Amino acid sequence: MMLAMLAIVTMVTACVTACTGTIGGEDGEDGPNAPTSGVQSGDETDVDCGGASAPKCTIGKKCKANGDCTTSNCIEGICKDPTGLDGIKNGDESDVDCGGSTTGAPRCGTGKTCGTAEDCESHVCDPTAKTCKAPTSTDGVKNGDETDVDCGGSSTSAPKCDVGKSCAAHSDCTLDGCDDTKHCANGRSCTQYNGGRSCGVGEEGATGAMHESCCGALPIPNGTTKLDKYKITAGRMRAFIERVNGDVLGWYESNKATLPASAQAQIEAYKAYLPSDRTTFPLGSDYQLGSTIYLPQRPSKTQGCGVGNAASPAYGSHTFHNGSLESEDFAFDQNFRDRLPLNCVPYPILAAFCAWDGGRLETFDEHANAFGTAPFPWGATPIAGGFNNFPDENGPYTQVGPANAGAGNPLGPCPSCDTTLLNWAHTYQVPEGGDPKKPWDYAYWISPPGRFPMDKGPAGHMDIGGLMMEITASTAENDTTTDYTGQQVTQTMVRWSKNGSWEVHAMGNLQWKFAFMTKYGKTGGRCARD
């Protein structure tokens, strides 16, 4: 009996040992199913990770569900890096697939959870609700489709951007001009460098050159009206023509109701002469701004607008570059010419330009007030001079005389005259001598606005004494003459300013007045602002 009982106890002990293994069993810390056993056991998805009891698996380990992974991202049975496209809030995302910086997720839209402003598309995270706010035009950040902080675009109803602010289109800017650097220009016509930001002292690339916008106006002394600091450049006119595609008449008819009465009055009576496109002869804009002459006897038989070619070397200098339209062989390209003051322009298109640019054409009295009452814009002295005799192959310049002596220089040589003060009577050449292969192109005599810092009026208006005479909106009696077709025409005359020109026209002349379709190689214009 004792032997039988001993046998039973031995069998039970053996069974317990065989069935449970080492002491501690399945629930022990070092059993075969423990998460540190070194083998995949129980519901683990990989060795010692995954499942209900083991730690989550790291990247690259096997998994069955997102919950098996530290990244909460189980793809095709493998724990993967968190991404901004996996449909899960993971990494440092502030909401599902948005916010944070580690998963490449985009910023979160309105209403999504955020931790900082950088989590949000709007860059605005509500500090209380911890949700992204919708962009507004008063939140102090650039959001929505704004082009700068709380301005530009359309989605936030933000106002237009001021000068210098970032822009994407002209419509983003208060002055309707987004320049080539994507900043709002200080004038609708100054959105390009050449003729738009190239005015001022010094030649291109020269040490010490100080260039600035060719737009901007200064008050006239003892008045409330402002006059543009610089003469209108060919580049500024080009900006106008390109924006309206040459249809100046169409632009005027569509916008005249919004123009100030003063600007509208300068154009309305002459609108039949405005171009409707660029290249239809004779009134297309590129003909009006080129060598085509409408009144062959005004102001003389030689207007100096034609730039010829080897077969027909018409010596001239119109600064608006119109390509091969008139079979001209230019020595200087469009960039060069765009920097120069506009010339060879009839009154109607000039008045339309100033209206489009936010102003109107200056009057004779406004220009005279900006010039001042002294013999020269800077006062009575120093005395300016110029080279009256045109150089040719037979010899150098001769006859230096006072700038107010006139073309005949009746006062004779003037050893004390200073020829560096203003562009008058051929005192400027860049490049020196022009292009000897194309001597018919006289554009090298014409200085870009601002190159003569002494030539400024009491209020700072540049080139007010020389460079180009200026067409004004002040009218005079009618003139009857012959037009380019041989027909007799009668036109109102407009007055030209009292300053001289790069050729030989003297300052102080109060008599210049010509029919409104007159063009001249030594005459341009300037806008006024009320």
Side-chain angles (χ1 to χ4, degrees):
M1 186 69 175
M2 289 291 294
L3 290 174
M5 289 296 292
L6 181 60
I8 291 172
V9 170
T10 301
M11 290 175 62
V12 171
T13 301
C15 178
V16 169
T17 302
C19 293
T20 63
T22 58
I23 295 174
E26 187 173 26
D27 295 327
E29 294 180 355
D30 54 357
N33 292 329
T36 56
S37 64
V39 295
Q40 182 180 345
S41 57
D43 63 352
E44 294 174 347
T45 58
D46 208 314
V47 175
D48 293 341
C49 71
S53 301
K56 295 180 182 295
C57 296
T58 56
I59 295 169
K61 298 290 187 177
K62 291 182 290 184
C63 56
K64 292 182 179 179
N66 290 334
D68 294 326
C69 304
T70 57
T71 61
S72 299
N73 195 25
C74 179
I75 299 177
E76 296 180 348
I78 301 295
C79 290
K80 301 285 188 179
D81 280 318
T83 73
L85 299 172
D86 53 24
I88 312 161
K89 179 183 178 298
N90 49 19
D92 66 347
E93 294 171 349
S94 60
D95 209 317
V96 175
D97 287 347
C98 72
S101 61
T102 61
T103 68
R107 290 187 171 92
C108 296
T110 302
K112 295 288 187 177
T113 301
C114 56
T116 68
E118 289 305 306
D119 291 326
C120 303
E121 289 177 352
S122 67
H123 299 277
V124 181
C125 178
D126 189 305
T128 302
K130 292 298 181 182
T131 55
C132 294
K133 299 181 69 174
T136 71
S137 63
T138 57
D139 52 24
V141 294
K142 177 183 176 295
N143 50 22
D145 65 351
E146 294 171 350
T147 59
D148 211 308
V149 176
D150 291 342
C151 72
S154 60
S155 65
T156 67
S157 299
K160 295 180 182 295
C161 295
D162 291 333
V163 174
K165 297 289 188 179
S166 296
C167 55
H170 297 312
S171 58
D172 292 323
C173 302
T174 54
L175 298 181
D176 194 37
C178 182
D179 71 21
D180 54 334
T181 70
K182 296 303 179 184
H183 291 86
C184 291
N186 70 332
R188 201 176 193 184
S189 60
C190 288
T191 55
Q192 68 294 329
Y193 175 75
N194 294 305
R197 298 191 303 278
S198 57
C199 293
V201 180
E203 303 305 330
E204 297 297 319
T207 301
M210 295 182 292
H211 296 164
E212 62 176 348
S213 174
C214 299
C215 291
L218 300 172
I220 297 173
N222 303 317
T224 58
T225 299
K226 291 183 177 181
L227 205 62
D228 281 3
K229 181 177 181 179
Y230 296 107
K231 298 180 193 288
I232 300 164
T233 62
R236 291 177 64 188
M237 177 60 79
R238 182 177 303 284
F240 173 41
I241 296 303
E242 290 180 350
R243 286 278 295 271
V244 303
N245 197 28
D247 188 8
V248 178
L249 176 61
W251 169 81
Y252 172 68
E253 292 289 13
S254 297
N255 293 275
K256 66 180 180 180
T258 66
L259 298 177
S262 58
Q264 189 177 155
Q266 292 181 354
I267 304 169
E268 183 66 23
Y270 310 96
K271 66 181 182 181
Y273 294 86
L274 295 177
S276 297
D277 61 23
R278 297 192 67 164
T279 58
T280 297
F281 184 83
L283 292 179
S285 63
D286 287 19
Y287 283 108
Q288 289 206 32
L289 299 167
S291 64
T292 296
I293 297 298
Y294 300 98
L295 303 176
Q297 305 299 319
R298 300 291 184 268
S300 65
K301 293 183 178 180
T302 304
Q303 288 80 17
C305 289
V307 178
N309 52 48
S312 179
Y315 290 77
S317 61
H318 74 78
T319 57
F320 187 90
H321 195 288
N322 59 356
S324 60
L325 183 68
E326 296 175 298
S327 301
E328 295 168 301
D329 188 8
F330 296 105
F332 308 101
D333 64 13
Q334 178 178 308
N335 288 339
F336 182 97
R337 305 181 98 83
D338 277 353
R339 291 193 288 265
L340 306 181
L342 181 71
N343 62 357
C344 297
V345 54
Y347 165 84
I349 195 172
L350 195 64
F353 165 82
C354 285
W356 174 83
D357 203 43
R360 56 170 174 78
L361 194 60
E362 66 181 336
T363 67
F364 180 89
D365 288 342
E366 286 167 343
H367 183 279
N369 288 340
F371 184 104
T373 58
F376 302 104
W378 54 84
T381 57
I383 299 174
F387 299 99
N388 275 358
N389 285 4
F390 196 82
D392 57 29
E393 65 275 7
N394 298 319
Y397 300 110
T398 57
Q399 286 264 11
V400 179
N404 59 356
N409 193 13
L411 300 182
C414 179
S416 63
C417 289
D418 189 340
T419 60
T420 68
L421 301 177
L422 77 169
N423 189 353
W424 177 81
H426 306 108
T427 58
Y428 177 92
Q429 290 186 69
V430 173
E432 186 174 352
D435 184 346
K437 295 181 179 179
K438 300 177 181 181
W440 46 82
D441 191 343
Y442 280 178
Y444 68 99
W445 293 107
I446 305 172
S447 54
R451 295 300 192 264
F452 287 80
M454 191 72 172
D455 186 9
K456 64 181 178 182
H461 299 93
M462 302 303 299
D463 303 300
I464 202 76
L467 183 53
M468 291 277 186
M469 294 177 287
E470 298 174 21
I471 296 172
T472 79
S474 298
T475 58
E477 66 273 16
N478 289 340
D479 179 33
T480 299
T481 185
T482 302
D483 71 7
Y484 67 100
T485 69
Q487 298 296 310
Q488 193 174 73
V489 295
T490 299
Q491 294 184 354
T492 302
M493 289 193 289
V494 292
R495 298 184 68 182
W496 292 3
S497 62
K498 61 181 283 187
N499 57 310
S501 80
W502 61 269
E503 197 176 58
V504 292
H505 302 89
M507 287 182 288
N509 190 310
L510 306 181
Q511 305 303 316
W512 298 126
K513 51 188 176 182
F514 294 98
F516 64 78
M517 285 302 287
T518 300
K519 295 171 59 175
Y520 198 41
K522 279 66 69 174
T523 305
R526 194 183 303 248
C527 300
R529 318 279 165 170
D530 292 318

